[in-house]
Amino acid sequence: MLGKALMREWNGDAVTGLNSRDADIRDAKRVQQAVRDSRSECIVLAAAYTDVDGCENNPELAFAVNRDGAVNVASAAREAGARLLFLSSDYVFDGKKTQPYETGATRNPQSVYGRSKAEAEMALIEVLPESCIARTSWLFGTGGKCFPDTILKLAASRPALDVVNDQRGCPTYVIDLARAIVQLCRKDARGIVHATNAGDCTWFEFAQEIVRSAGFATEVRPVSSAQMARPAPRPSYSVLSAASLRRLGIEMPTWQDALRRYMDERNKLGS
Ligand SMILES: NC(=O)c1ccc[n+]([C@@H]2O[C@H](COP(=O)([O-])OP(=O)(O)OC[C@H]3O[C@@H](n4cnc5c(N)ncnc54)[C@H](OP(=O)(O)O)[C@@H]3O)[C@@H](O)[C@H]2O)c1
């Protein structure tokens, strides 16, 4: 989803987009060759095993792709003299805070997915200390399966929806994130950065706004995470502070504004 948005939004530079068939990031030799062939100055690693519940049930694959795959890309970047921007996640935090997480906050992931991302971050800092680690959260966009799309499809056929109201985070439109990533690369950003749309909400509040802006009469009912048990635990609060992005002179729009643009994009695509 983010990879497609990056390919759309990155103008003015020569950009090569690679998918999982071009290079499986678990294959160090193939990755090394792909990085050499692309002769890129800057690599954005948006590939990951992103199914959070899938990771919980298949930790070997999660660590092989999300941690070891990232190390393969970082090693190839180091060898080729390229810079690396790695996408990480709010799920590296335990969610016990009640104020936005700053970049230096202690990692304490609660899920396999979160652990695989946290371990990738720590390994990258060793392998390629000048890497940029961009943590983001709750991605949505037209290029893949996402929460607003699921809610819109369900709302079209159901009179009521139950949505969890005890997890708070920052929904982020992949188009806005892609634009921020282009700026981060152009500014040669290094270290950890938090990049999300501005503002925060719970999944319930997000769903309410989605249903309202689509004009559905569907009732959205708040429920607890315990009522909607899933294999992987999620942080109850994973709002990422915008301070690191602001220090670099980058501002992202609010998630409500982003949602409006996503709905327009979706309507234009006729989905
Ligand atoms: N989605 C979110 O809410 C969220 C939140 C925080 C952080 N992030 C991070 O943001 C980044 C982008 O997320 P996204 O939602 O755009 O992900 P996505 O839509 O799930 O796309 C992930 C991509 O990674 C590829 N991939 C998976 N395993 C691979 C492998 N072994 N080798 C090469 N490619 C592989 C997939 O290819 P195939 O489809 O061919 O398998 C897919 O194209 C990821 O690093 C993710 O962890 C996402």
Side-chain angles (χ1 to χ4, degrees), residues 9-88:
E9 292 301 317
W10 205 318
N11 302 308
D13 294 301
V15 184
T16 310
L18 300 180
N19 62 32
S20 59
R21 286 175 303 282
D22 297 313
D24 186 320
I25 60 171
R26 290 169 295 176
D27 181 344
K29 285 219 153 48
R30 183 71 200 94
V31 167
Q32 197 180 35
Q33 195 57 51
V35 167
R36 268 194 210 135
D37 291 348
S38 77
R39 301 163 63 96
S40 295
E41 279 170 54
C42 182
I43 296 164
V44 177
L45 177 55
Y49 180 28
T50 58
D51 174 352
V52 175
D53 292 321
C55 286
E56 206 66 19
N57 295 326
N58 195 347
E60 274 164 36
L61 183 60
F63 286 104
V65 176
N66 295 346
R67 180 194 58 203
D68 304 345
V71 169
N72 289 339
V73 177
S75 305
R78 187 179 62 188
E79 194 214 60
R83 290 185 281 128
L84 175 67
L85 186 146
F86 169 70
L87 269 300
S88 189

XYZ file of all heavy atoms in Angstrom, residues 9-88:
598
model
N 3.732 9.386 -5.699
C 4.008 10.725 -5.170
C 5.434 11.198 -5.397
O 5.723 12.369 -5.230
C 3.716 10.747 -3.651
C 2.249 10.607 -3.323
C 1.388 11.711 -3.944
O 1.802 12.891 -3.903
O 0.328 11.385 -4.500
N 6.344 10.279 -5.697
C 7.757 10.670 -5.798
C 8.054 11.180 -7.201
O 8.264 10.397 -8.124
C 8.666 9.501 -5.452
C 10.006 9.965 -4.965
C 10.766 10.987 -5.466
C 10.733 9.450 -3.844
N 11.912 11.148 -4.736
C 11.915 10.221 -3.745
C 10.492 8.412 -2.935
C 12.869 9.974 -2.755
C 11.437 8.172 -1.956
C 12.617 8.952 -1.869
N 8.035 12.480 -7.361
C 8.274 13.087 -8.669
C 9.617 13.803 -8.641
O 10.087 14.208 -7.589
C 7.169 14.098 -8.997
C 5.808 13.430 -8.984
O 5.612 12.418 -9.631
N 4.883 13.982 -8.226
N 10.198 13.968 -9.819
C 11.399 14.794 -9.918
C 12.703 14.043 -9.706
O 13.784 14.609 -9.830
N 12.638 12.767 -9.363
C 13.846 11.941 -9.227
C 13.599 10.637 -9.986
O 12.447 10.267 -10.220
C 14.118 11.581 -7.759
C 14.456 12.798 -6.916
O 15.444 13.475 -7.238
O 13.723 13.067 -5.943
N 14.662 9.946 -10.335
C 14.504 8.613 -10.939
C 14.195 7.629 -9.802
O 14.975 7.519 -8.860
C 15.793 8.222 -11.648
N 13.060 6.966 -9.893
C 12.650 6.062 -8.802
C 12.412 4.659 -9.347
O 11.732 4.484 -10.364
C 11.351 6.567 -8.114
C 10.987 5.684 -6.933
C 11.501 8.006 -7.658
N 12.971 3.657 -8.684
C 12.750 2.260 -9.055
C 11.881 1.614 -7.985
O 12.224 1.694 -6.803
C 14.100 1.494 -9.082
O 15.019 2.240 -9.854
C 13.949 0.102 -9.656
N 10.774 1.005 -8.403
C 9.923 0.313 -7.437
C 10.109 -1.185 -7.553
O 9.933 -1.747 -8.635
N 10.488 -1.816 -6.461
C 10.681 -3.276 -6.479
C 9.595 -3.938 -5.643
O 9.221 -3.419 -4.592
C 12.053 -3.637 -5.898
C 13.284 -3.064 -6.609
C 14.551 -3.513 -5.894
C 13.318 -3.499 -8.064
N 9.099 -5.075 -6.123
C 8.118 -5.812 -5.315
C 8.711 -7.147 -4.866
O 9.887 -7.434 -5.116
C 6.799 -5.969 -6.074
C 6.957 -6.778 -7.353
O 7.802 -7.680 -7.426
N 6.153 -6.481 -8.351
N 7.855 -7.949 -4.223
C 8.381 -9.180 -3.611
C 8.880 -10.185 -4.647
O 9.673 -11.069 -4.312
C 7.296 -9.812 -2.736
O 6.165 -10.101 -3.519
N 8.409 -10.062 -5.883
C 8.908 -10.970 -6.934
C 10.270 -10.503 -7.445
O 11.094 -11.301 -7.867
C 7.898 -11.075 -8.078
C 6.679 -11.923 -7.723
C 5.632 -11.910 -8.820
N 5.192 -10.557 -9.141
C 4.333 -9.850 -8.403
N 3.819 -10.371 -7.314
N 3.984 -8.630 -8.763
N 10.523 -9.195 -7.408
C 11.835 -8.685 -7.837
C 12.923 -9.095 -6.831
O 14.037 -9.417 -7.217
C 11.805 -7.153 -7.933
C 10.812 -6.670 -8.980
O 10.831 -7.232 -10.089
O 10.022 -5.758 -8.686
N 12.574 -9.023 -5.564
C 13.557 -9.390 -4.534
C 12.839 -9.749 -3.250
O 12.176 -8.905 -2.649
C 14.516 -8.229 -4.280
N 12.965 -11.007 -2.839
C 12.483 -11.410 -1.513
C 13.543 -10.927 -0.525
O 14.724 -11.310 -0.642
C 12.342 -12.939 -1.462
C 11.699 -13.415 -0.161
O 12.031 -12.854 0.908
O 10.877 -14.340 -0.216
N 13.160 -10.088 0.407
C 14.185 -9.495 1.291
C 14.818 -10.520 2.240
O 15.818 -10.222 2.891
C 13.664 -8.253 2.059
C 12.457 -8.595 2.945
C 13.345 -7.111 1.099
C 12.054 -7.432 3.879
N 14.266 -11.742 2.276
C 14.922 -12.790 3.086
C 16.157 -13.349 2.386
O 16.963 -14.030 2.995
C 13.933 -13.935 3.359
C 12.820 -13.547 4.318
C 11.751 -14.596 4.353
N 11.066 -14.727 3.070
C 10.134 -15.630 2.807
N 9.780 -16.501 3.735
N 9.558 -15.672 1.617
N 16.283 -13.044 1.093
C 17.371 -13.596 0.282
C 18.491 -12.537 0.168
O 18.431 -11.642 -0.687
C 16.785 -13.968 -1.096
C 17.812 -14.579 -2.041
O 19.021 -14.460 -1.782
O 17.379 -15.167 -3.053
N 19.483 -12.653 1.031
C 20.520 -11.608 1.133
C 21.226 -11.368 -0.201
O 21.475 -10.211 -0.571
C 21.533 -11.993 2.217
N 21.528 -12.431 -0.922
C 22.266 -12.287 -2.194
C 21.433 -11.562 -3.246
O 21.919 -10.698 -3.959
C 22.653 -13.679 -2.738
C 23.793 -14.295 -1.994
C 24.738 -15.037 -2.940
C 26.160 -15.120 -2.422
N 26.224 -15.568 -1.016
N 20.159 -11.950 -3.315
C 19.249 -11.330 -4.282
C 19.073 -9.833 -3.960
O 19.036 -8.983 -4.851
C 17.908 -12.079 -4.239
C 16.872 -11.638 -5.201
C 17.195 -12.004 -6.642
N 16.431 -11.162 -7.566
C 16.866 -10.037 -8.111
N 18.088 -9.584 -7.852
N 16.104 -9.338 -8.913
N 18.956 -9.540 -2.659
C 18.799 -8.143 -2.224
C 20.045 -7.339 -2.593
O 19.952 -6.228 -3.130
C 18.545 -8.090 -0.691
C 18.699 -6.670 -0.149
C 17.165 -8.625 -0.364
N 21.201 -7.950 -2.352
C 22.476 -7.275 -2.655
C 22.526 -6.936 -4.153
O 22.891 -5.824 -4.542
C 23.611 -8.221 -2.287
C 24.948 -7.562 -2.146
C 25.992 -8.617 -1.787
O 25.921 -9.771 -2.246
N 26.955 -8.232 -0.976
N 22.119 -7.913 -4.977
C 22.145 -7.708 -6.424
C 21.158 -6.621 -6.852
O 21.481 -5.739 -7.648
C 21.803 -9.042 -7.131
C 22.150 -9.055 -8.615
C 23.638 -8.757 -8.856
O 24.511 -9.375 -8.252
N 23.924 -7.770 -9.713
N 19.949 -6.670 -6.269
C 18.912 -5.678 -6.628
C 19.360 -4.272 -6.236
O 19.151 -3.316 -6.984
C 17.597 -6.033 -5.937
N 19.996 -4.156 -5.101
C 20.468 -2.834 -4.641
C 21.594 -2.347 -5.544
O 21.614 -1.186 -5.961
C 20.895 -2.897 -3.151
C 21.685 -1.661 -2.738
C 19.662 -3.065 -2.273
N 22.493 -3.260 -5.896
C 23.591 -2.889 -6.813
C 23.026 -2.426 -8.145
O 23.403 -1.392 -8.682
C 24.490 -4.096 -7.067
C 25.642 -4.174 -6.101
C 26.658 -5.184 -6.645
N 27.337 -5.796 -5.534
C 27.587 -7.086 -5.401
N 27.225 -7.943 -6.331
N 28.236 -7.532 -4.357
N 22.062 -3.235 -8.705
C 21.493 -2.935 -10.028
C 20.770 -1.592 -10.045
O 20.789 -0.888 -11.038
C 20.494 -4.026 -10.455
C 21.191 -5.354 -10.741
O 22.434 -5.361 -10.831
O 20.483 -6.376 -10.850
N 20.097 -1.260 -8.946
C 19.290 -0.028 -8.936
C 20.183 1.216 -8.843
O 19.754 2.301 -9.213
C 18.295 -0.040 -7.773
O 18.955 0.247 -6.575
N 21.408 1.059 -8.360
C 22.363 2.168 -8.202
C 21.721 3.366 -7.511
O 21.959 4.528 -7.861
C 22.928 2.581 -9.569
C 23.642 1.444 -10.289
C 23.814 1.745 -11.746
N 24.671 2.920 -11.952
C 25.962 2.874 -12.201
N 26.571 1.713 -12.299
N 26.659 3.954 -12.370
N 20.885 3.064 -6.498
C 20.146 4.130 -5.818
C 20.990 4.841 -4.778
O 21.837 4.233 -4.132
C 18.920 3.547 -5.115
O 18.029 3.029 -6.056
N 20.717 6.131 -4.625
C 21.360 6.902 -3.551
C 20.645 6.634 -2.243
O 21.226 6.725 -1.169
C 21.208 8.405 -3.822
C 22.188 8.991 -4.790
C 21.776 10.402 -5.141
O 21.584 11.228 -4.231
O 21.633 10.664 -6.342
N 19.324 6.386 -2.369
C 18.496 6.271 -1.165
C 17.494 5.126 -1.345
O 16.845 5.037 -2.388
C 17.763 7.601 -0.972
S 16.768 7.610 0.505
N 17.391 4.270 -0.352
C 16.464 3.130 -0.412
C 15.393 3.307 0.660
O 15.723 3.600 1.819
C 17.228 1.812 -0.162
C 18.254 1.583 -1.280
C 16.274 0.628 -0.054
C 19.284 0.543 -0.933
N 14.131 3.142 0.259
C 13.035 3.154 1.240
C 12.563 1.721 1.387
O 12.126 1.110 0.405
C 11.873 4.059 0.779
C 10.727 3.995 1.789
C 12.351 5.492 0.588
N 12.642 1.177 2.581
C 12.202 -0.198 2.805
C 10.782 -0.195 3.370
O 10.581 -0.029 4.580
C 13.170 -0.946 3.735
C 12.743 -2.383 4.069
C 12.505 -3.208 2.813
C 13.759 -3.055 4.966
N 9.794 -0.324 2.463
C 8.380 -0.350 2.873
C 7.858 -1.783 2.950
O 6.745 -2.011 3.420
C 7.531 0.461 1.899
N 8.634 -2.753 2.475
C 8.202 -4.158 2.499
C 8.241 -4.695 3.924
O 9.161 -4.391 4.680
C 9.114 -5.000 1.605
N 7.238 -5.467 4.269
C 7.209 -6.115 5.589
C 6.105 -7.156 5.595
O 5.234 -7.148 4.723
C 6.940 -5.077 6.680
N 6.161 -8.027 6.592
C 5.044 -8.940 6.856
C 4.161 -8.175 7.841
O 4.490 -8.074 9.034
C 5.590 -10.245 7.443
C 4.556 -11.299 7.785
C 3.339 -11.389 7.121
C 4.826 -12.237 8.781
C 2.414 -12.363 7.445
C 3.920 -13.232 9.106
C 2.713 -13.276 8.442
O 1.797 -14.247 8.772
N 3.072 -7.574 7.310
C 2.315 -6.578 8.079
C 1.051 -7.128 8.749
O 0.354 -6.383 9.426
C 1.897 -5.404 7.169
O 1.123 -5.933 6.083
C 3.094 -4.665 6.610
N 0.754 -8.414 8.532
C -0.435 -9.004 9.149
C -0.102 -9.282 10.625
O 0.570 -10.261 10.956
C -0.781 -10.299 8.386
C -1.918 -11.064 9.032
O -2.363 -10.701 10.136
O -2.367 -12.045 8.413
N -0.593 -8.391 11.495
C -0.200 -8.434 12.910
C -0.621 -9.753 13.565
O 0.157 -10.358 14.315
C -0.785 -7.201 13.647
C -0.505 -7.266 15.141
C -0.212 -5.920 13.047
N -1.824 -10.237 13.260
C -2.261 -11.519 13.837
C -1.541 -12.695 13.167
O -1.204 -13.677 13.822
C -3.784 -11.676 13.709
C -4.511 -10.677 14.596
O -4.037 -10.439 15.721
O -5.530 -10.113 14.150
N -1.266 -12.553 11.873
C -0.483 -13.574 11.165
C 0.904 -13.720 11.792
O 1.396 -14.848 11.974
N 1.518 -12.615 12.129
C 2.849 -12.643 12.764
C 2.792 -13.392 14.096
O 3.694 -14.159 14.437
C 3.354 -11.216 13.027
S 3.909 -10.334 11.557
N 1.712 -13.164 14.849
C 1.581 -13.799 16.164
C 1.553 -15.323 16.007
O 2.110 -16.052 16.819
C 0.283 -13.306 16.820
C 0.281 -13.334 18.323
C 1.252 -12.374 18.978
O 1.707 -11.423 18.328
O 1.579 -12.604 20.164
N 0.916 -15.785 14.926
C 0.789 -17.228 14.677
C 1.988 -17.805 13.939
O 2.156 -19.016 13.890
C -0.485 -17.511 13.874
C -1.732 -17.164 14.667
O -1.755 -17.311 15.882
N -2.753 -16.665 13.982
N 2.814 -16.939 13.344
C 3.962 -17.411 12.571
C 5.195 -16.541 12.858
O 5.674 -15.802 11.996
C 3.602 -17.381 11.073
C 4.574 -18.184 10.238
O 5.649 -18.571 10.718
N 4.233 -18.412 8.988
N 5.695 -16.634 14.107
C 6.795 -15.740 14.501
C 8.062 -15.938 13.661
O 8.783 -14.971 13.407
C 7.060 -16.087 15.980
C 6.225 -17.273 16.292
C 5.207 -17.462 15.216
N 8.300 -17.173 13.191
C 9.525 -17.395 12.395
C 9.523 -16.548 11.144
O 10.526 -15.910 10.793
C 9.653 -18.866 12.020
C 10.346 -19.655 13.116
C 10.142 -21.140 12.961
O 10.108 -21.616 11.808
O 10.015 -21.802 13.996
N 8.361 -16.530 10.464
C 8.252 -15.726 9.244
C 8.350 -14.235 9.592
O 8.997 -13.461 8.879
C 6.924 -16.031 8.535
C 6.688 -15.320 7.207
C 7.768 -15.678 6.181
C 5.309 -15.651 6.644
N 7.724 -13.844 10.696
C 7.750 -12.428 11.096
C 9.186 -11.941 11.289
O 9.567 -10.879 10.766
C 6.941 -12.243 12.381
N 9.986 -12.713 12.017
C 11.373 -12.278 12.265
C 12.234 -12.404 11.008
O 13.110 -11.579 10.770
C 11.980 -13.046 13.454
C 11.431 -12.573 14.776
C 10.491 -13.327 15.461
C 11.826 -11.365 15.321
C 9.942 -12.877 16.668
C 11.302 -10.896 16.526
C 10.355 -11.666 17.205
N 11.946 -13.440 10.200
C 12.739 -13.630 8.969
C 12.546 -12.445 8.024
O 13.503 -11.959 7.409
C 12.337 -14.931 8.287
N 11.299 -11.962 7.897
C 11.029 -10.855 6.967
C 11.334 -9.513 7.641
O 12.123 -8.707 7.130
C 9.562 -10.885 6.477
C 9.255 -9.672 5.589
C 9.265 -12.179 5.720
N 10.697 -9.272 8.775
C 10.717 -7.919 9.347
C 12.051 -7.541 9.994
O 12.443 -6.375 9.948
C 9.582 -7.765 10.365
C 8.218 -7.857 9.702
O 8.109 -7.777 8.476
N 7.167 -8.024 10.485
N 12.735 -8.487 10.594
C 14.030 -8.171 11.212
C 15.178 -8.569 10.283
O 15.949 -7.707 9.844
C 14.174 -8.886 12.567
C 15.504 -8.602 13.251
C 15.758 -9.573 14.392
N 15.750 -10.960 13.921
C 15.501 -12.008 14.700
N 15.238 -11.842 15.992
N 15.509 -13.248 14.198
N 15.247 -9.862 9.932
C 16.409 -10.320 9.159
C 16.384 -9.738 7.746
O 17.432 -9.399 7.198
C 16.459 -11.854 9.121
C 16.457 -12.445 10.537
O 16.710 -11.692 11.490
O 16.173 -13.656 10.685
N 15.185 -9.594 7.173
C 15.057 -8.987 5.846
C 15.545 -7.541 5.870
O 16.250 -7.088 4.955
N 15.185 -6.823 6.910
C 15.626 -5.420 7.035
C 17.143 -5.349 7.171
O 17.800 -4.467 6.581
C 14.944 -4.773 8.236
N 17.720 -6.289 7.908
C 19.186 -6.314 8.052
C 19.833 -6.598 6.693
O 20.855 -5.992 6.341
C 19.615 -7.357 9.120
C 21.119 -7.606 9.091
C 19.170 -6.899 10.500
N 19.235 -7.492 5.909
C 19.772 -7.770 4.568
C 19.793 -6.501 3.720
O 20.770 -6.231 3.017
C 18.915 -8.832 3.847
C 19.095 -10.213 4.449
O 20.092 -10.483 5.121
N 18.133 -11.085 4.208
N 18.703 -5.733 3.785
C 18.629 -4.506 2.983
C 19.649 -3.484 3.508
O 20.348 -2.828 2.724
C 17.192 -3.925 2.975
C 17.133 -2.615 2.204
C 16.214 -4.938 2.365
N 19.769 -3.364 4.818
C 20.725 -2.408 5.395
C 22.161 -2.791 5.030
O 22.988 -1.919 4.713
C 20.563 -2.358 6.913
N 22.471 -4.075 5.051
C 23.834 -4.518 4.712
C 24.133 -4.211 3.249
O 25.234 -3.743 2.912
C 23.995 -6.023 4.936
O 23.638 -6.350 6.245
N 23.126 -4.449 2.378
C 23.315 -4.166 0.957
C 23.461 -2.662 0.734
O 24.269 -2.225 -0.099
C 22.128 -4.715 0.166
N 22.698 -1.869 1.473
C 22.783 -0.402 1.342
C 24.169 0.066 1.781
O 24.794 0.903 1.110
C 21.703 0.262 2.193
N 24.655 -0.488 2.870
C 25.985 -0.097 3.371
C 27.047 -0.416 2.319
O 27.895 0.415 2.004
C 26.291 -0.828 4.686
C 27.577 -0.342 5.342
C 27.851 -1.049 6.633
N 28.023 -2.491 6.424
C 28.134 -3.378 7.384
N 28.112 -2.988 8.651
N 28.292 -4.655 7.115
N 26.945 -1.626 1.750
C 27.926 -2.049 0.757
C 27.893 -1.161 -0.481
O 28.928 -0.838 -1.062
C 27.642 -3.498 0.364
C 28.780 -4.137 -0.389
C 28.257 -5.113 -1.431
O 27.516 -4.701 -2.337
O 28.614 -6.277 -1.322
N 26.672 -0.713 -0.858
C 26.521 0.101 -2.068
C 26.696 1.603 -1.785
O 26.594 2.411 -2.704
C 25.139 -0.153 -2.674
N 26.879 1.955 -0.525
C 27.025 3.374 -0.170
C 25.713 4.137 -0.309
O 25.705 5.345 -0.548
N 24.584 3.422 -0.144
C 23.266 4.077 -0.255
C 22.718 4.379 1.135
O 23.062 3.715 2.107
C 22.302 3.163 -1.005
N 21.845 5.390 1.191
C 21.167 5.694 2.452
C 19.923 4.811 2.566
O 19.414 4.328 1.564
C 20.764 7.166 2.499
C 21.972 8.075 2.628
C 21.548 9.513 2.782
N 21.187 10.098 1.508
C 20.035 10.738 1.285
N 19.138 10.853 2.229
N 19.781 11.259 0.089
N 19.429 4.618 3.782
C 18.253 3.759 3.983
C 17.224 4.451 4.858
O 17.568 5.019 5.911
C 18.669 2.440 4.655
C 17.526 1.490 5.030
C 16.829 0.931 3.799
C 18.038 0.338 5.892
N 15.976 4.421 4.415
C 14.859 4.832 5.279
C 14.013 3.590 5.513
O 13.520 2.985 4.559
C 14.036 5.943 4.631
C 12.940 6.518 5.548
C 12.736 8.007 5.281
C 11.621 5.768 5.403
N 13.894 3.207 6.779
C 13.171 1.985 7.157
C 11.846 2.365 7.816
O 11.820 3.241 8.685
C 14.046 1.184 8.137
C 13.336 0.044 8.815
C 12.966 -1.084 8.101
C 13.049 0.095 10.169
C 12.301 -2.138 8.718
C 12.387 -0.956 10.803
C 12.018 -2.074 10.073
N 10.767 1.682 7.408
C 9.458 1.945 8.005
C 9.258 1.078 9.237
O 9.353 -0.155 9.138
C 8.351 1.661 6.990
C 7.907 2.834 6.129
C 7.374 3.991 6.991
C 8.988 3.330 5.208
N 9.009 1.716 10.371
C 8.712 0.960 11.579
C 7.333 1.354 12.093
O 6.579 2.042 11.404
C 9.804 1.169 12.626
O 9.593 0.260 13.691
